[in-house]
Structure formats: structure tokens, C-alpha cells
Amino acid sequence: MPALLTDRPNVRQEFADKISHVVRFAGDSGDGIQLQGQQFTVASALAGHDLATLPDFPAEIRAPAGTRYGVSAFQIQFGGDRVTTPGDAPDVLIALNPAALVVNLANLVPGALIIVDESAFTAQRLKRASLDTNPLEDDTLEKFDVCPVDISHLTLEAAKPFGLGAKDAMRCKNFWALGLVLWMFDQPRDATAHWIQTKFANNEAVRNANLAALSAGHAYGETAEMGHILSQHPIPEAPLDAVEYRTITGAEAMALGLVAAGELADTELLFCSYPITPASSLLHHLTGLDDAGVATFQAEDEIASICAAIGASYAGKLGVTSSSGPGIALKTEALGLAVATELPLIVVNSQRAGPSTGMPTKTEQSDLYQAVYGRNADTPLPVLAAHSPADCFETAIEAVRIALRHMTPVILLTDGYIANASELWPIPNIDDFQVITNNKPTETSGDIWERDAETHARLWAAPGDKGFIHRIGGIEKDIVTGNISYDADNHQAMTNLRQAKVESVANFIPEQTIDQGTTAGLAVVAWGSTYGAVYQAVKECLQEGLAVAHIHLRYISPLPKNLHDLLTRYDKLLVPELNTGQLATLLRDKLLVDIQQLNKVSGQPLTVAEVKEAIARLANPRMQEVTNA
Amino acid sequence: MPELSFKNFATDQEVRWCPGCGDYSILKAVQRSLAEAGAKPENTVFVSGIGCASRLPYYIESYGFHTIHGRAPAIATGVKLANPKLDVWVITGDGDGLSIGGNHLLHALRRNIDVNILLINNEIYGLTKGQYSPTSRVGTTSPSSPGGSVDSPIDPGRFAIGAGATFFGRAVDIDQKGLPGLLNEARGHEGTSFIEILQNCIVYNKDVFDDVANKKTAADHQIHVQHGEPLLFGKTNDKGLRLNPSTLALEAVMVGHDGVTTRDILVHDETNATFAHLLLSMEAPLPTAMGVIHRRRLESFDRAFWNSKTQKRRQKVVNLLHQGNLLDRRNGSE
Ligand code: SF4
């Protein structure tokens, strides 16, 4: 074997000085890589680090072992500073087989530390990964620090006393490697040990073997004499507030946001959906929460799921449905019905790469047109977008607030990245949120078609309410009586009303603020999951003295009332998106502003470097103007 | 409380079906059955799809939701799950229920959600001006099948039984004697009650059921089945049905002829799906079965759905927010 341990003291020193790291775990989709990543995430949070994660897995459930396309990965950035992205480029890679090594090399920082399972580099497995030579033996890894460890063999040894077959024992490999990485960053093992104990409570041998593998990996770090390359790097704690924190994925936060909103509105929810990647996790998280006011119904198809949700809203509970782009397309006709009948409804779209089936496990922001414009006729409705996993909580509450206040369906955009990724979340106090009002009839209510002057909402009378018996439907209704009407003037009046209702939302939502940066120069105007990358890029550019600001939109339709005034204060506007320019088009249309675009449609999140590069092209050095950090 | 008459279930809306349409008598039967059952208008909901028949909710003084093409069973499912106390009805047609909405009908039936579905079958698309429908017989000429349709029709009854329906009944639109009673049987059934009503579209498919519905020949061409009663029909009840063991199909016989006695006549068992299948497979010259053809007990979906419920909601929400591995910084860092 050639000299793998390159001697670059400056690189190693740089590594040792870092207060945040980007670690990527990679292996076969059957290796338990996602679990490994999740457990590391928990340990990192409990050690007081800020963090952001990126699960990156193939659409196939168990793709053929050892192939490049079957590689599953989990990336996390964690550290003692504010962390908003899972990191552009890992500085540590743990690769459990040759394919997992080679597919991830291109993204690593030069001098990155690579820990590989040496015993997985057999002739047969190199061939599976389409490799002619062994990258551990040629110059492929020249630029990196490589630490080959016989992980498979050491895992088998650790599991030996518990009598598992070789195949089962080998399954403990992810915990062995996790043990080693936990040691490396001096993170606690207790939560993982507890997880193993609970998960395998009924299987003593598997439980003990996994615990032993975890400890063995940890002990290996301590005892193996590899200090020159593999040493311990404790990370300082992040400056956190004096509150309780937990890690949370977007799908979890969305579920909790909906549950909390139902409670704040004193309304029960009926969540109706049909399985689709990457939206199904929301259904999973909400199922079983009926004592928190949510019942879930798995319908026979996408159309039935939105229809059942509309039925629930008609009957006085709040209907919620969820899907991804292709499923939302199927729900579209029914969305028109909800607009026409003026029923509250929440539609969550976890966007994924398209068109058609596209790349179901990869992320994209390409359903903005669909959300804002994608219906037959003049059928406006409010559209909101969550910007991070934790932000799904508040955005869900906002969506419910708008739907109930105005009696309208609301589309809530999130994406595959937000749904699966996790971050550290300061747990809010539900009592701090304003109660959500609805339009249910009271003793003083008049006719159900008498509208609130400011919200244009009609009464939310439901079957069972005496004195409000009425018929509604998709046929145009008379603006006064609610009866069927084909009258020309009435249709004009109803069309105007539907438009005015959505526009009136702008009178209730907060004015747009600047997330950080200057009040002149270049504004980076973004929405959705690009938040982390834009935040970090702008932060670094500000430090480098550029006049740049970050403005992140939650309200896509209608836009905040002050947005035009705010944006026209800047010389230049840059809109980065994971699509070909959908928000850019919307802003040009609504605000008549000139916009530069940064677009990426690769199925991967935007990187900080990509945003920085675009900013550097457009921004000027900062003069003496006021900053708003 | 004063009893409501069927007139109390009429709305002030002008009824807009073609004069002579079979829907008029169906509407009357529905209003009548609601009055007879003592239904409360505020607790009654009619959900419909798209088509001539789907206008019916506008004419009934109760809650009503005229929705979109084919989706009424799905919307009704949401209504019933949201409030299981409601008396929920679905009005659909052969195109609405068995073509564009076939999937929802299938799943409503197999889930056994407690709604009553009236499929008003006229074997034609009326509202779109007369195209052949999924129940049209082979050879039906229409604007979209000028040379006669070639695709085989679906039979609503056998579809329902195949989907696991727990209640299937059938009646003719003009049967003011039988239809209200059948509707009440459906209303009283826990689970999905599915009724096929043979309706006369006098504009686009006039008298397509005349052979069955015509009052002059109805006695010989219809058999009104009743659980536990022998399957007899004809003006003097002299005809009966028995099982032909070699074809495993029903055959008509004359009681008192060729040594046939009433003992040879089958007795209707509404709980037996195979029996229902035999009755629904009869073709002319055998009579068409009417009444409650199939009914069996099965817990409804909405009941099963809501079986477990608790309170203390806010505490549960707070607990959920705080689950998982917590990092407690409320007292600053350690
Ligand atoms: S077209 Fe046929 S079904 Fe429709 S209203 Fe006229 S007669 Fe009745």
C-alpha cells in the first residue's frame, strides 16, 4: 500500500482549529446510513451544537448492494457557531464501501479526512462500483487524508460474543463507525445507546451486539495509535438561548404546526392524503395524534384525499391534504371547488424534482407557478412557503390562520429537502401564539353569505347547525343569496370578490423585513429552502465588506404590501431558486422590478459557494450606509 | 314537534329537469322517505357529483353540496368522518359514479362508510347531450357512438357486490310504492347503502328500461325480493325461481306445473352475497330483481375510525412539542 497518510501539518492544523465540521456518512442503502446520521445528529444536539442535516438517498428502497446508484448518504454540519446549511463540502467522509467513496469524492474539501472500511475494497466490490483499480492503492486519494480501518472485521469481532450470524453481525457496522466518529468529536453516546436498547428491547443478541459495536468503534479511536491522522477534536458549544431545544425535521415540524394550529383555532383537523414521496412522512407523523385533535385518513387516491378534506371542512372541521407536485396536479380541480365554495383548506406541497415522476427523493422549488397560477379559470388562493425544517411549524400555523380567517384554501410549499432535513429547534411556548379566529356562526350571526368587510369571509356554517341550512356547489353562486346564478354581472362581482379576498390577506400579514444586511446595494430575494445557503453566503459577503442584504419571503401570494417599496431601495436584485426562475417571474410581474437570476435544477440544494459567487458578481463594496444585521 | 311532511323537504328553487324526466319521481320519493323517517333537515346532507341527477340536492331542504364530477363519495366520506352524527346521502349517476368516479365508489363500498349512495342509472350521459355511458348496452347509438357502442357495460349491482358492499337495493324511478321504503331501509343500514334506481331519461334514452318498468308487464318482469320469503313473482305469484344445479344459475318455473311445488322455490337470503350475485345475473326473460337484494352486518368505517378518542388536548400538544432528545438550556449552559 502506498503512503496514504499524507504529511500536511498545516491542513491538519486548519482542521483542528475549525469550530464546525461537515461530516458525510455514506454506504449502501441497506447499511443503515440514515439511522447513523440521525443518531449522530441527536448526539451533536445534546452536546450543545447548532446543526443542519441533509439526508441524500436513492428512490430505490434497497438498490443492488455496492453499486454507485445504490449509495445512501447523510450529511451534517454541526458546530459552535450558527449553522444554517448542511455544508457545501464535507471535511470528513465515512465511506463503508468503494461506491460510497468514489461518488462522494468530488464534493470533499481538499485535505478532507476520509475514513473507509478497508475490508470492503475487495476485487468483487470494486467491480460492482465500476472501478478498475483500487482507489486506496492508486493516486485517486492524493489530495486527502485517508484513514483505512478494517470496520467490517472489527465489527464482527465486537459482535462475536453474542452469537449472531455473520450477516446479522455485519449489520452492526453503522454503529461501529458511528462510535468512532462520536469519539472523534467527543460527542455523547448515551442517546444512541438508549435508542438501541429501546429499539431492540426484545432481541437481546442484536441489542448487545449493536451496543458492543458502538463501544468498540469508540474505543478504537482512543486506543489505535493513529494520532497523527485520527485525533480527537472537541467542538465548543454553540451560543444557544436559555430555552429548551430539540432536533426536528421539516415533516415533524409541519405536523406539530398543524396540530398546534388546530388547538389555537379550537378546531379539529382531518388530514387526508395518499402516499407519495417525499410527502408521506407528514402522514406518518400525524397518524396516532387523534387525542391532539388530528385524525388522519389515507384515501384511495390524490383526488379522493383532497375531496375528503373538503368534505371535512364543509362539515365544520379543518380539512388538510398533502402531496408532492404530481399529486397536487391531480388535486387541482378540487382546489377550484374549495375556492368556489369558500371553504378553509390546507394543501401542503412537499416539492420534488420533476416533471412527471422526475426524481422523487431529490429536492426542487419548481411548483411555485403551479401553486400560484396552476388552476383553470380565475381561481386565486394564498400561497405560503416554509424556509427551513423548524420554520414549517410557524408557517403551518400561519397557513391555518389565513385559511380560517378568510375562508379560503391555502397552499403551503415546502420541499423534499426541508421535509427530511433536521435542525436544532428552540421549542416555542404555545401560549405565546395568538389564538386563531374562525368564522363559525355565533348567536348574533346573520346570513351565511353576509361577509366580513375586511376579510371577505362568509360564515362557516356546517351541517348540524340549525338555522343555517344551505346548499353550495361548484356552480357560480349569487353573491347575496348563494343560490345558483348564471347572471353576467354577478359572475363579474364574484370574480372580483374572490380576487379581493386573497388580496385582503396582505392587510393582515406582517410587512416584509430584511433578514440581514444592508438597506441598499444588492438584495438577495429568496424563498423556501434556499434560506440556509443564502443566509450563510450573505453573512460571509457582509464580512468581506460587500453591500448586500438577504430578504426571505414567507408570503408568496399575496406578497407583503411593503415589498415593492423595500425592493426598489436596492440597486440590484438577485433571486436564487431551485427552478428556472419562477419567483423571479412573479416578482417582475407583480412589482415591475428588474431581477438577476441564479437558478439550479439538479435535484441538490443550493450551496453557499454558489450564492457567494453570484453575489460577488453583482455586489459592490459597502459604503458608509446603515446596516441592519 | 310538528311532524314534517314531504313538502317541508322541498326548497324554493325551481326544478330544472326536462318535463317528464324520471328524476322528478325520484325527488318525490326521497322527500317522502325523509318525512316518513322523521329526518332532521339540519342533520341531513346530500352530496352529489355532476350530471342531471346531481342537481337533486338543490331541491331538498337540507344541507347540500353539489361537488365535482365523480367525487361525491370521496367528499361524503370527509363529511361523515368529520361528523359521524350526520345522515349523509350521495346522489350520483351512471357516468358520474361508474365512469369518472368509479374508483371512489369502489372504495366507499369496500370501506363501508355509513353513507347512502343513490346511483341514478339511465344508461346515458344526459347533461352532456346524450353520449353512451359505462352502463349503456352494446350497440347503443349516440352522438359519440353513431355506429353503435362496442364496449361492454358494467352492471352496478355486481360491481357493488364485488366491491364488498354491505347493502345493495334496486328500484324503478316511478315506483312510488317501493322506492321510499327502500330508501328508508338504506337509511337504517350501518355502512354504505347502495341503491340503483332505473331512471327514464326521456330525452336521450327514452324507455330504455320499459321492458322492466312498464306497469303493464311489471308483475312478470320484476321480482320484489324479501328476506326469508320465497322468490315468487307474476300477477298471481304463480312463478318462482329455483337453482339449476347443472348451470349454477337461477331459472324460472311455474308453481304447480311439471311437479314444481313451493318447496322447490328458493327463499331469499339477503345476507348471502352469492345469492345476490345469482339474482343480479338474471337476464330477460328472467325477471329483474328489485328491493333489498343484499344486506349484511359489518362495522362501518366511520365507527371504526373514531373508536378511540381522548381529551386533554393542549397537554397532548405540549407533550408532542417536547418529545425526543431534549437539550435543556433553561438554566443556562452546564
Ligand atoms: S336529459 Fe334526461 S336525465 Fe337529464 S333532465 Fe332531461 S330527461 Fe332527465
Side-chain angles (χ1 to χ4, degrees):
Chain A
M1 188 179 291
L4 285 166
L5 312 178
T6 47
D7 185 20
R8 281 175 291 197
N10 52 336
V11 174
R12 296 264 42 94
Q13 191 53 47
E14 221 175 84
F15 186 93
D17 289 346
K18 285 170 94 170
I19 62 162
S20 69
H21 287 278
V22 180
V23 175
R24 191 168 174 96
F25 299 92
D28 263 331
S29 39
D31 278 344
I33 298 298
Q34 299 307 318
L35 175 62
Q36 194 182 25
Q38 286 154 11
Q39 290 303 320
F40 186 81
T41 304
V42 168
S44 187
L46 290 175
H49 302 145
D50 200 0
L51 60 92
T53 71
L54 171 67
D56 188 8
F57 46 85
E60 294 75 18
I61 301 305
R62 293 241 164 123
T67 57
R68 292 186 181 210
Y69 64 88
V71 171
S72 173
F74 186 101
Q75 187 168 314
I76 175 171
Q77 177 162 216
F78 64 99
D81 197 2
R82 171 135 195 236
V83 172
T84 61
T85 78
D88 286 7
D91 58 6
V92 180
L93 171 70
I94 295 91
L96 294 185
N97 67 30
L101 173 70
V102 289
V103 300
N104 286 304
L105 282 182
N107 272 338
L108 300 183
V109 294
L113 173 65
I114 300 176
I115 300 172
V116 291
D117 181 5
E118 198 181 1
S119 36
F121 285 68
T122 59
Q124 190 204 12
R125 297 179 82 176
L126 290 168
K127 207 172 133 209
R128 285 256 188 87
S130 316
L131 288 166
D132 296 330
T133 57
N134 186 345
L136 299 183
E137 289 164 5
D138 59 24
D139 55 7
T140 314
L141 305 177
E142 219 171 40
K143 287 194 308 198
F144 308 107
D145 279 342
V146 182
C147 179
V149 183
D150 200 348
I151 296 177
S152 298
H153 183 231
L154 292 166
T155 302
L156 287 180
E157 291 237 303
K160 206 178 202 168
F162 309 103
L164 293 182
K167 211 171 142 206
D168 283 338
M170 206 57 137
R171 287 235 173 97
C172 307
K173 192 161 69 166
N174 55 343
F175 283 114
W176 196 99
L178 177 62
L180 178 61
V181 186
L182 288 175
W183 169 81
M184 217 179 126
F185 296 106
D186 197 19
Q187 316 237 75
R189 268 175 299 163
D190 326 10
T192 302
H194 183 249
W195 184 91
I196 294 172
Q197 267 151 358
T198 321
K199 175 78 184 175
F200 303 114
N202 298 324
N203 194 334
E204 202 183 328
V206 172
R207 181 176 69 231
N208 290 335
N210 276 300
L211 288 171
L214 181 70
S215 300
H218 197 268
Y220 181 87
E222 250 166 54
T223 50
E225 305 215 327
M226 300 181 83
H228 52 302
I229 174 140
L230 196 63
S231 48
Q232 221 175 7
H233 301 278
I235 305 293
E237 292 189 354
L240 300 175
D241 293 333
V243 294
E244 247 187 315
Y245 285 88
R246 61 175 282 192
T247 61
I248 197 157
T249 66
E252 285 171 325
M254 184 70 76
L256 295 181
L258 289 169
V259 164
E263 163 65 15
L264 290 167
D266 195 19
T267 300
E268 285 182 57
L269 270 55
L270 188 67
F271 179 87
C272 311
S273 81
Y274 182 75
I276 183 170
T277 302
S280 308
S281 44
L282 185 53
L283 169 64
H284 305 165
H285 288 301
L286 283 168
T287 300
L289 303 190
D290 29 39
D291 46 359
V294 178
T296 59
F297 169 52
Q298 181 179 313
E300 61 269 25
D301 59 30
E302 295 285 1
I303 297 171
S305 69
I306 185 170
C307 285
I310 290 172
S313 289
Y314 175 67
K317 291 198 178 172
L318 178 61
V320 182
T321 188
S322 146
S323 189
S324 191
I328 301 291
L330 286 165
K331 296 181 198 290
T332 302
E333 187 198 9
L335 254 178
L337 178 69
V339 171
T341 52
E342 302 178 63
L343 284 167
L345 177 77
I346 304 296
V347 181
V348 182
N349 180 356
S350 301
Q351 300 166 93
R352 68 187 209 189
S356 189
T357 304
M359 303 195 288
T361 58
K362 306 297 177 196
T363 201
E364 213 160 275
Q365 298 182 295
S366 43
D367 297 343
L368 185 139
Y369 285 162
Q370 184 193 43
V372 178
Y373 301 116
R375 285 166 296 284
N376 61 301
D378 277 305
T379 317
L381 51 76
V383 178
L384 274 65
H387 74 236
S388 75
D391 185 56
C392 289
F393 182 79
E394 259 188 62
T395 310
I397 293 176
E398 273 301 286
V400 171
R401 195 183 295 285
I402 291 171
L404 293 181
R405 186 171 54 211
H406 299 268
M407 291 293 283
T408 177
V410 174
I411 290 183
L412 206 174
L413 296 171
T414 165
D415 60 35
Y417 163 64
I418 291 182
N420 290 318
S422 57
E423 65 181 336
L424 200 60
W425 183 47
I427 302 172
N429 183 349
I430 187 170
D431 298 326
D432 292 344
F433 286 84
Q434 230 186 340
V435 161
I436 296 176
T437 54
N438 64 44
N439 290 282
K440 291 241 168 104
T442 61
E443 308 228 307
T444 58
S445 297
D447 185 83
I448 71 158
W449 301 111
E450 254 174 49
R451 293 165 186 285
D452 182 287
E454 267 145 37
T455 63
H456 301 283
R458 67 170 180 93
L459 272 193
W460 190 14
D465 292 338
K466 241 182 157 168
F468 294 98
I469 291 177
H470 65 281
R471 269 78 44 196
I472 56 170
I475 300 184
E476 185 62 284
K477 59 182 181 290
D478 185 275
I479 197 163
V480 178
T481 64
N483 290 330
I484 292 179
S485 168
Y486 290 94
D487 182 78
D489 292 341
N490 179 70
H491 182 53
Q492 183 69 56
M494 281 305 297
T495 302
N496 298 350
L497 173 89
R498 286 185 281 265
Q499 189 65 37
K501 176 187 270 203
V502 173
E503 281 167 9
S504 77
V505 171
N507 299 328
F508 293 85
I509 59 177
E511 294 211 325
Q512 182 64 45
T513 55
I514 303 169
D515 285 79
Q516 60 167 342
T518 57
T519 52
L522 171 71
V524 185
V525 186
W527 68 284
S529 66
T530 56
Y531 178 85
V534 174
Y535 181 91
Q536 188 60 28
V538 169
K539 185 174 158 190
E540 291 176 20
C541 288
L542 284 167
Q543 282 161 2
E544 290 160 21
L546 293 176
V548 60
H550 177 196
I551 294 174
H552 211 83
L553 305 182
R554 171 184 279 170
Y555 302 92
I556 306 294
S557 185
L559 294 164
K561 278 204 295 193
N562 67 328
L563 192 63
H564 179 266
D565 288 350
L566 181 64
L567 297 192
T568 47
R569 279 192 235 152
Y570 292 87
D571 307 330
K572 287 181 192 157
L573 302 173
L574 169 68
V575 175
E577 305 178 76
L578 301 177
N579 60 45
T580 53
Q582 301 190 9
L583 179 69
T585 306
L586 182 87
L587 294 180
R588 286 186 195 116
D589 169 33
K590 297 279 174 197
L591 309 178
L592 290 175
V593 287
D594 189 28
I595 282 172
Q596 313 291 318
Q597 296 181 202
L598 170 62
N599 303 109
K600 175 174 174 181
V601 195
S602 66
Q604 293 297 325
L606 215 51
T607 65
V608 177
E610 286 160 344
V611 183
K612 277 185 78 175
E613 196 185 282
I615 293 174
R617 254 190 292 120
L618 297 167
N620 295 316
R622 186 146 54 164
M623 313 298 267
Q624 283 303 76
E625 84 287 67
V626 195
T627 62
N628 189 345
Chain B
M1 200 182 73
E3 294 265 315
L4 296 175
S5 89
F6 80 91
K7 286 191 183 131
N8 295 109
F9 285 93
T11 62
D12 58 359
Q13 298 294 296
E14 193 188 326
V15 183
R16 296 193 192 184
W17 289 308
C18 307
C21 172
D23 287 343
Y24 284 94
S25 45
I26 296 171
L27 172 62
K28 205 161 152 200
V30 170
Q31 290 165 337
R32 220 180 236 164
S33 86
L34 291 171
E36 271 170 26
K40 286 204 171 79
E42 69 272 22
N43 291 339
T44 307
V45 187
F46 279 81
V47 182
S48 64
I50 294 292
C52 291
S54 290
R55 296 295 180 93
L56 191 128
Y58 289 112
Y59 311 135
I60 294 176
E61 185 56 26
S62 72
Y63 277 92
F65 198 171
H66 179 217
T67 69
I68 46 178
H69 205 12
R71 318 301 170 202
I75 288 176
T77 298
V79 171
K80 186 70 183 180
L81 288 181
N83 186 354
K85 284 192 224 119
L86 299 173
D87 184 16
V88 181
W89 297 76
V90 170
I91 307 294
T92 184
D94 40 315
D96 190 61
L98 287 166
S99 205
I100 192 167
N103 194 35
H104 308 305
L105 187 56
L106 163 74
H107 290 281
L109 290 167
R110 61 109 183 149
R111 277 192 197 106
N112 202 33
I113 179 99
D114 191 10
V115 303
N116 313 304
I117 302 176
L118 310 189
L119 185 130
I120 296 172
N121 183 9
N122 53 20
E123 298 189 358
I124 209 80
Y125 283 94
L127 198 60
T128 51
K129 300 199 191 311
Q131 300 83 355
Y132 72 104
S133 91
T135 55
S136 296
R137 293 160 215 186
V138 172
T140 299
T141 53
S142 79
S144 57
S145 58
S149 62
V150 294
D151 41 342
S152 334
I154 186 168
D155 173 56
R158 280 177 289 166
F159 170 83
I161 300 301
T166 58
F167 184 107
F168 178 76
R170 185 156 59 192
V172 174
D173 52 5
I174 51 171
D175 182 5
Q176 286 301 320
K177 239 173 54 205
L179 184 52
L182 182 60
L183 295 173
N184 271 333
E185 296 288 335
R187 190 173 181 271
H189 174 72
E190 174 177 338
T192 310
S193 317
F194 184 62
I195 293 181
E196 180 192 9
I197 303 174
L198 306 183
Q199 185 253 27
N200 192 10
C201 169
I202 53 120
V203 175
Y204 294 112
N205 216 7
K206 190 166 192 287
D207 295 337
V208 69
F209 295 115
D210 195 49
D211 194 40
V212 180
N214 195 317
K215 286 194 172 149
K216 286 189 206 127
T217 50
D220 286 331
H221 293 177
Q222 296 179 15
I223 176 166
H224 291 262
V225 302
Q226 272 214 310
H227 184 62
E229 298 292 327
L231 295 168
L232 292 168
F233 64 106
K235 272 207 178 76
T236 56
N237 263 357
D238 55 344
K239 297 175 184 170
L241 296 175
R242 74 173 179 192
L243 184 70
N244 180 331
S246 59
T247 61
L248 288 183
L250 299 178
E251 60 184 14
V253 290
M254 296 288 287
V255 180
H257 287 68
D258 303 324
V260 175
T261 68
T262 44
R263 288 215 188 156
D264 297 311
I265 305 302
L266 284 171
V267 171
H268 182 42
D269 178 0
E270 65 182 20
T271 65
N272 183 333
T274 307
F275 212 100
H277 199 83
L278 289 172
L279 287 169
L280 292 167
S281 301
M282 291 191 296
E283 283 175 19
L286 290 176
T288 300
M290 302 288 172
V292 181
I293 292 164
H294 184 56
R295 170 162 52 190
R296 67 192 165 92
R297 275 174 185 281
L298 183 71
E299 185 183 42
S300 69
F301 175 59
D302 38 298
R303 189 189 289 273
F305 187 89
W306 287 113
N307 251 345
S308 66
K309 292 264 80 192
T310 54
Q311 343 63 43
K312 298 209 184 116
R313 187 166 160 200
R314 178 154 295 218
Q315 191 50 48
K316 171 79 185 189
V317 173
V318 170
N319 293 348
L320 285 167
L321 298 187
H322 291 259
Q323 78 189 359
N325 294 285
L326 304 174
L327 171 65
D328 195 345
R329 283 303 171 89
R330 284 174 297 187
N331 300 316
S333 100
E334 289 140 34

